Amino acid sequence: MRTAVLLAGRRPGPDPLAVAEGVGLKVLIPVAGEPMVARVARTLLACPSIGAVRVLTQDIADVAAVLPADPRLSIHRSEGGIAQTLMTRAGGPDLPWPLFVTTADHPLLGVETVEDFIARSADADMTIGMVEARVVHRRFPGNRRTWLTFRGGRWTGANLFALNGPAALGVLAMWSAVEQDRKKGWKLIARFGPVLLLRALTRTITIERAVAKAGRRLGARVRAVPLADPLAAVDVDKPSDLALAREVLAA
């Protein structure tokens, strides 16, 4: 059984989407009549492979007020960035290994996708869920995301991570350094050296090999896990994402 970490924090300054929706935090925006953080928490609680859910946020009172009542769920204060909080607590009594990590702005995340990802995440120190553009566009033609282009396709992150032991901490340290580049694909790849950037730009390396190479530079076995669910690619960062999530759930 894994401990699920649900990231429900906020970045400095007001979030434009939260302001537009009239709420204090983006994760409190309602989708199909329910705050996003509550919807994702319920999904995680329904997963057979997850034994406990730990919600991390700077705004404990506001988030706790909307969470489902369940003895397996608890809420904890996050400090600094996402990676910094995980680095200081992963493997401790609140967040014992192995961990599954996702974000609270992921209202379309489903139990089957979580279980599929976890089932394919045991043979590495860290795995990262990815969705290829063709998978997304078959369901949502023209959907715009941040794409990383490699040999064989363009990929976007699914905000799904499995951390299986202390070796993942080195990857988290790099994550902390590159968080500001998460929406700039080429800058993110460039952090791992000019050779990897060149191979990505010339499409002479696959996403799986690129992630594995980047992990080896950090002393860890890291693997990309391709996902077949287009909904796994839809986190809510902008008004069009929110409209899409609401449309899908309404249907």
Side-chain angles (χ1 to χ4, degrees), residues 200-239:
L201 291 175
T202 56
R203 303 188 186 186
T204 57
I205 191 169
T206 64
I207 183 71
E208 292 86 354
R209 290 194 63 192
V211 169
K213 281 180 173 289
R216 284 196 293 272
R217 290 196 59 180
L218 301 173
R221 294 172 301 150
V222 183
R223 191 163 56 80
V225 176
L227 299 170
D229 180 8
L231 299 182
V234 184
D235 59 342
V236 175
D237 280 331
K238 52 188 183 295

Side-chain angles (χ1 to χ4, degrees), residues 46-122:
C47 293
S49 297
I50 291 177
V53 178
R54 305 291 183 244
V55 181
L56 298 183
T57 182
Q58 300 100 323
D59 302 275
I60 289 182
D62 292 335
V63 173
V66 303
L67 291 175
D70 191 295
R72 296 171 295 159
L73 184 149
S74 59
I75 188 167
H76 305 264
R77 186 174 303 280
S78 62
E79 299 127 6
I82 293 169
Q84 179 184 345
T85 300
L86 289 173
M87 285 173 61
T88 58
R89 298 194 184 182
D94 292 334
L95 304 179
W97 307 112
L99 298 174
F100 167 80
V101 182
T102 192
T103 57
D105 61 352
H106 211 338
L108 301 183
L109 183 63
V111 172
E112 289 185 1
T113 297
V114 173
E115 290 295 304
D116 174 51
F117 175 74
I118 289 176
R120 294 191 282 147
S121 294

